[in-house]
Amino acid sequence: MSNLVADRPLTLGWDVGGAHLKAALLNADGVALRVVQVACPIWQGLDRLSAAVHQVLDQLPAYPQQHVVTMTGELADIFPDRLSGVMQIADVLSQQLIGKLSFYAGRQGFIALADVSFYANDVASANWLASADFVARRVEHGVFVDIGSTTADIVSLVSSKPAPRGYSDAARMRAGELVYTGVVRTPLMAVAQRISFGGEYYALAAEHFATTADVYRLTGDLDEEHDMAATADGAGKTPADSARRLARMIGHDLGDAEAEAWLLLANAFKHAQLDTLREALLRSASLHPQTAFGAMVGAGAGRFLVAELAAQLHRKYIEVQTLIQAADEDVQRWAAICLPAYAVAYLAVQHA
């Protein structure tokens, strides 16, 4: 990292996930200057987080005066509970970062390190609300859908404000606003119980043989830069590797069928995942009728699914990237991929 300190204040937004660390550097006008994503498997130890922080800082053009943090990494299974995870992550960051440090606590706003223990339940897994708040300031009525590697967030937007039914993970899962399905890490046995292949329905093996990344490598939907997670068997990421893993889900070997048959199988899994997401969207719209014909705003590595859902439901689709101010198109694109990091920094700039 350059030792350069900018003439105008810079804010660095951090999104500490269980698998990735994302950071977005914004200037005082809320313009993204640099966005960085690095692998950060927290479940392997907090030293991974410390190393990832240094990786991010080394890629910045200048050191920020202000750091703002949101997180979901407290869910990693190295922590006995969410409170412990929030506190330990906050402690690591406080030791690594220089300058003003605050944490996003959802409806409570930004809080200091000293207050994290009191507001730990608000800090935990609040990154979706930062993203929804940012989007709602630009879309009066509609729905925000952020599909990542592991989960999908569905948030109604009413009168330019997020209108979730729940705020905790448990409440959001009960309301169908947090759906544990993503485009990279989700095991295929969690996508469907049976799948069509060769004119028959097959029950799926209840084994971690393949993930949704295998599906979307074959369909061509998954950008290579989003394909950062290890494969289910630790082997390669070629189309043949992915097809071989899909075949195992229905008790087959790769040589049992032609490439076209495995592509059809991948599309069957894709449509099963779309069915799950569409059901959740229709449930959300039934609660807020004013959003039912509003725009659908797509974000995350799986935003291609949001575009398809919008087409199926005959709704306007907005790419979240178009709502973001950035130094150039590449930074804008990465800000959309790492939206919670950008959003939490943007909210902090607006709050200042």
Side-chain angles (χ1 to χ4, degrees):
M1 180 187 68
S2 168
N3 290 324
L4 173 67
V5 176
D7 293 334
R8 302 182 67 201
L10 298 178
T11 297
L12 188 60
W14 296 87
D15 180 19
V16 184
H20 300 96
L21 178 64
K22 303 173 184 179
L25 184 68
L26 274 62
N27 66 17
D29 296 321
V31 176
L33 305 177
R34 183 72 59 86
V35 180
V36 179
Q37 174 178 275
V38 299
C40 181
I42 287 181
W43 68 87
Q44 296 178 4
L46 282 172
D47 59 317
R48 296 302 187 104
L49 176 57
S50 298
V53 168
H54 286 289
Q55 279 185 267
V56 168
L57 294 175
D58 285 343
Q59 296 182 54
L60 300 183
Y63 200 89
Q65 289 80 6
Q66 175 179 215
H67 299 269
V68 290
V69 179
T70 188
M71 66 179 74
T72 57
E74 77 283 348
L75 297 174
D77 54 17
I78 63 167
F79 305 121
D81 51 43
R82 287 173 171 80
L83 173 61
S84 298
V86 169
M87 293 303 299
Q88 290 184 52
I89 289 171
D91 182 61
V92 169
L93 294 177
S94 70
Q95 296 179 42
Q96 302 291 327
L97 303 176
I98 299 171
K100 181 181 178 182
L101 174 62
S102 57
F103 294 82
Y104 180 68
R107 292 169 292 175
Q108 309 301 329
F110 292 96
I111 61 170
L113 176 66
D115 297 320
V116 168
S117 61
F118 186 78
Y119 291 107
N121 287 332
D122 296 290
V123 173
S125 300
N127 64 350
W128 63 273
L129 186 55
S131 296
D133 192 354
F134 164 74
V135 172
R137 296 176 186 221
R138 287 156 175 75
V139 177
E140 183 178 11
H141 298 299
V143 62
F144 167 63
V145 186
D146 186 348
I147 303 176
S149 63
T150 310
T151 60
D153 295 304
I154 300 172
V155 188
S156 296
L157 310 174
V158 179
S159 300
S160 298
K161 293 182 179 179
R165 292 180 64 191
Y167 288 89
S168 68
D169 280 356
R172 295 177 64 231
M173 290 173 73
R174 184 174 63 247
E177 296 173 342
L178 170 59
V179 184
Y180 262 83
T181 193
V183 297
V184 178
R185 299 179 63 236
T186 303
L188 290 187
M189 59 182 170
V191 173
Q193 292 187 317
R194 66 174 191 165
I195 205 76
S196 59
F197 180 77
E200 303 290 345
Y201 278 111
Y202 284 79
L204 298 182
E207 293 281 359
H208 185 48
F209 285 149
T211 67
T212 45
D214 292 310
V215 168
Y216 296 118
R217 289 188 201 106
L218 289 183
T219 62
D221 290 311
L222 183 63
D223 286 346
E224 187 175 335
E225 60 194 1
H226 303 157
D227 192 5
M228 300 178 70
T231 59
D233 59 2
K237 297 181 178 181
T238 67
D241 287 322
S242 290
R244 174 176 49 77
R245 286 187 288 267
L246 289 190
R248 293 192 72 190
M249 292 301 304
I250 56 170
H252 282 60
D253 292 321
L254 178 63
D256 291 344
E258 299 297 325
E260 292 80 5
W262 303 126
L263 177 57
L264 285 172
L265 179 60
N267 274 298
F269 278 112
K270 176 179 180 177
H271 284 281
Q273 192 171 38
L274 283 167
D275 289 345
T276 297
L277 292 165
R278 185 173 57 251
E279 181 180 343
L281 281 165
L282 291 173
R283 179 182 177 186
S284 174
S286 70
L287 182 64
H288 300 288
Q290 64 268 57
T291 72
F293 303 101
M296 290 178 58
V297 182
R303 60 193 183 279
F304 59 87
L305 292 179
V306 187
E308 292 203 27
L309 288 164
Q312 290 179 14
L313 297 172
H314 306 289
R315 295 176 63 170
K316 178 182 178 181
Y317 174 68
I318 298 175
E319 188 83 38
V320 77
Q321 180 174 329
T322 64
L323 306 178
I324 294 171
Q325 290 181 290
D328 57 48
E329 288 186 5
D330 190 55
V331 174
Q332 185 185 49
R333 180 172 59 86
W334 272 102
I337 295 167
C338 303
L339 185 62
Y342 170 81
V344 75
Y346 179 88
L347 295 176
V349 169
Q350 296 298 306
H351 180 73

